[in-house]
């Protein structure tokens, strides 16, 4: 009678480390992909690019009109070159608006709200919930037409004041209510 095949619960039939029961070597499990660094960051609405571009175009129109008036009506011919330089800078700023808007983000942490913005010169501000004195919603005409709003956090220290632009209206209202509740609970020591 043939010997029974070795089984896991039979003493002396342990599978050596690094091998499967059929003798095939085990492969090391792939390490889990690390979570992206920006996983917890929330970005503002892409529609905010339109708001910023329209604001820059209005500034551009004012600069061009002022330079032309100074050139033709007042005879200030030297105004032409600074005017061209300012126009070039505004056009360059418009070209970078989409990237600049993508750099704006916020993150809700356990004790504070973290805000960041900027491409070359980046700014990150942490606003503790317990120090928030006022959370305000503002809407300009262009932002209102696009259904956007900005949230302004006022604290006792003016340097830590933060304005979070380009939020959809519903998200701005929800975030305002959530932050007010967090601020009240932190001040009460809950």
């Amino acid at each position: 009678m043939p010997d029974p095949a070795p089984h896991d619960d039979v003493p002396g039939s342990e599978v050596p480390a690094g091998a499967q029961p059929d003798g095939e070597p085990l492969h090391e499990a792939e390490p889990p992909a690390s979570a992206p660094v920006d996983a917890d960051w929330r970005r503002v609405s892409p529609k905010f690019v339109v708001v910023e571009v329209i604001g820059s175009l209005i500034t551009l129109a004012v600069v061009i009109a002022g330079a032309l008036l100074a050139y033709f009506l007042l005879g200030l011919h030297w105004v032409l070159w600074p005017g061209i330089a300012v126009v070039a800078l505004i056009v360059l700023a418009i070209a970078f608006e989409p990237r600049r808007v993508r750099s704006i983000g916020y993150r809700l942490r356990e004790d504070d709200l973290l805000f960041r913005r900027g491409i070359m010169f980046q700014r990150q501000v942490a606003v503790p919930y317990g120090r928030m004195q006022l959370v305000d919603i503002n809407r300009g005409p262009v932002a209102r037409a696009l259904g956007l709003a900005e949230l302004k956090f006022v604290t006792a220290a003016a340097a830590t004041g933060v304005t979070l632009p380009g939020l959809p209206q519903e998200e701005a209202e929800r975030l305002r209510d959530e932050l007010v509740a967090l601020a009240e609970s932190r001040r009460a020591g809950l």
Side-chain angles (χ1 to χ4, degrees), residues 150-165:
E150 69 177 22
L151 217 55
K152 184 176 181 182
F153 313 104
V154 178
T155 64
T160 58
V162 169
T163 299
L164 184 56

Side-chain angles (χ1 to χ4, degrees), residues 23-154:
E24 290 289 324
L26 285 175
H27 296 286
E28 292 284 333
E30 292 288 330
S34 59
V37 174
D38 290 341
D40 295 334
W41 286 91
R42 299 179 194 177
R43 289 187 177 158
V44 300
S45 172
K47 292 179 185 175
F48 186 58
V49 175
V50 177
V51 178
E52 292 294 279
V53 168
I54 289 177
S56 296
L57 289 177
I58 291 172
T59 304
L60 184 65
V62 170
V63 169
I64 291 175
L68 291 178
L69 284 175
Y71 185 80
F72 288 110
L73 294 182
L74 302 177
L76 301 174
H77 299 286
W78 59 271
V79 171
L80 193 61
W81 295 110
I84 291 173
V86 172
V87 167
L89 288 175
I90 294 174
V91 170
L92 189 63
I94 290 174
F96 277 96
E97 283 298 345
R99 176 66 184 91
R100 197 179 67 77
V101 168
R102 280 199 307 272
S103 73
I104 302 173
Y106 69 96
R107 182 180 175 191
L108 295 174
R109 300 195 298 186
E110 186 175 354
D111 294 321
D112 56 24
L113 178 139
L114 201 59
F115 170 78
R116 72 176 183 191
R117 72 182 310 163
I119 304 173
M120 291 184 64
F121 301 97
Q122 297 180 342
R123 181 185 185 209
Q124 273 200 11
V125 180
V127 184
Y129 299 132
R131 299 220 174 149
M132 288 183 187
Q133 296 182 336
L134 178 68
V135 184
D136 192 15
I137 291 181
N138 296 319
R139 302 178 74 195
V142 179
R144 190 168 58 245
L146 294 172
L148 300 178
E150 69 177 22
L151 217 55
K152 184 176 181 182
F153 313 104
V154 178

Side-chain angles (χ1 to χ4, degrees), residues 5-16:
H7 196 266
D8 286 342
D9 55 1
V10 177
S13 65
E14 292 86 13
V15 176

Side-chain angles (χ1 to χ4, degrees), residues 108 110 129-130 177-187:
L108 295 174
E110 186 175 354
Y129 299 132
D177 295 342
E178 182 179 350
L179 291 173
V180 167
L182 283 169
E184 289 177 351
S185 65
R186 292 299 190 279
R187 280 197 295 268

